[in-house]
Amino acid sequence: MSEKQTQDDISSSNINDSLYEISQIIQNFNKINIKGIEPTTTNINKNIFDQDLSIVIEELVGLILKELNEGVYNEVIKKHVINFIIDHGIISQEIYNYLLNNQNNSNFIYLLGYFYYHGIETNIDMQKAYELYQKAIKLNNNNVVARLDLAEMYILGKGVESNQINRNKAFELSKKLAEEGIPNAINKLGYCYEKGIGTYADWQKAFEFYQKAAELGNSTGINNYGYCYYNGIGIDVNKQKGFELYQKGAKLNNYIAQYNLASMYENGNGIIKDIDQAIYWYKKSAEQGYNYAQDKVEMLSEK
């Protein structure tokens, strides 16, 4: 199956890790354009102490890492990051300005890169995000979340050239992180083997790494593990096993697993057809902003 799919392709087949395929949801969420703002402490709310912001920033980085390892997709994590800031009674611009003024901490540098990558309080700037991720790693080579996001940029070709050298970097960085037992990286490594990114395509290895990620509770790995069974990637086709894994991922609120589960119910592929269940799971996926699922809800509701 090609990495990019048409609407018809998606309507008729299950899909795997949209972490690398979907970029169309939650656009401009809570975004304020302050492009070109100069670093200045005068922009910081005087009622917020440096120590308070430092704690919030460290907790935000911890939240991002935790959810990446749980298999939450980037678009959803971004929403959670913004909600976390709001829940703490802080304006996200205050954190952005603080980060501009405090670049001596690896996590601070990383989070500023994250803001540039996702367009939080600034325009999306992949090149700046790439440079800041590299800077964060240079300051602290054990910064796992910066290394994970850098690996993803190499995989996607965002902020860097899409060439063989960078694909090799994607594979090597994912491999090193996977060896450290990082669930998100283990899933990434499976994707590299499935698609032949920085290495030869090896579906058996892709299957094995997706299985490992799934066993560690990574919901994206669970979905991809199910995808392998459903499509016979590195294993014989077993639609029932695929169904069970999609169901498990769906219950963990993985919107691609929810979509795939709904698709099986809609088409009766390996299970009894159930349009009500299809609509239910398409709605669950759509609630997280997945446009293809919303299209399905509208289509099935009209019948």
Side-chain angles (χ1 to χ4, degrees), residues 250-297:
K251 289 178 179 178
L252 290 172
N253 215 30
N254 183 288
Y255 67 76
I256 297 299
Q258 289 169 342
Y259 182 94
N260 287 338
L261 181 61
S263 178
M264 290 192 75
Y265 275 121
E266 179 191 0
N267 298 296
N269 291 331
I271 59 170
I272 297 173
K273 187 173 182 177
D274 190 328
I275 297 301
D276 289 339
Q277 281 292 307
I279 292 174
Y280 174 83
W281 287 110
Y282 279 136
K283 281 183 177 179
K284 285 289 187 182
S285 181
E287 286 168 3
Q288 298 189 73
Y290 193 40
N291 290 341
Y292 291 124
Q294 183 58 48
D295 292 342
K296 282 288 192 178
V297 171

Side-chain angles (χ1 to χ4, degrees), residues 84-232:
F84 183 93
I85 294 170
I86 293 170
D87 290 344
H88 280 72
I90 302 172
I91 299 171
S92 53
Q93 184 178 340
E94 292 169 337
I95 292 182
Y96 174 79
N97 293 343
Y98 183 82
L99 292 171
L100 286 172
N101 285 279
N102 294 272
Q103 288 288 286
N104 58 352
N105 178 294
S106 181
N107 279 342
F108 291 10
I109 295 167
Y110 161 75
L111 192 62
L112 182 59
Y114 184 90
F115 274 36
Y116 277 116
Y117 188 99
H118 294 280
I120 299 174
E121 294 304 336
T122 185
N123 290 336
I124 289 174
D125 191 327
M126 295 296 175
Q127 183 60 39
K128 282 187 178 179
Y130 173 71
E131 292 168 359
L132 286 163
Y133 291 161
Q134 283 191 314
K135 183 180 177 182
I137 295 166
K138 186 175 182 180
L139 190 62
N140 178 10
N141 191 49
N142 292 320
N143 191 319
V144 172
V145 70
R147 292 157 71 200
L148 285 173
D149 278 3
L150 185 62
E152 180 163 320
M153 294 190 82
Y154 285 131
I155 289 171
L156 292 170
K158 286 189 175 181
V160 298
E161 286 187 45
S162 182
N163 56 35
Q164 191 58 49
I165 291 175
N166 286 330
R167 285 190 287 273
N168 291 344
K169 289 179 180 178
F171 175 77
E172 292 302 327
L173 190 49
S174 297
K175 184 173 183 287
K176 186 171 179 57
L177 284 161
E179 289 170 351
E180 295 173 21
I182 308 300
N184 179 277
I186 293 169
N187 180 69
K188 275 183 169 63
L189 188 58
Y191 185 82
C192 287
Y193 275 117
E194 182 193 344
K195 302 297 182 181
I197 297 173
T199 185
Y200 53 90
D202 187 327
W203 284 4
Q204 180 61 41
K205 285 188 176 181
F207 173 82
E208 290 170 0
F209 281 108
Y210 286 151
Q211 181 181 20
K212 287 180 182 179
E215 289 171 350
L216 290 170
N218 183 283
S219 66
T220 298
I222 292 169
N223 174 75
N224 292 346
Y225 189 30
Y227 172 84
C228 288
Y229 272 109
Y230 185 90
N231 292 281

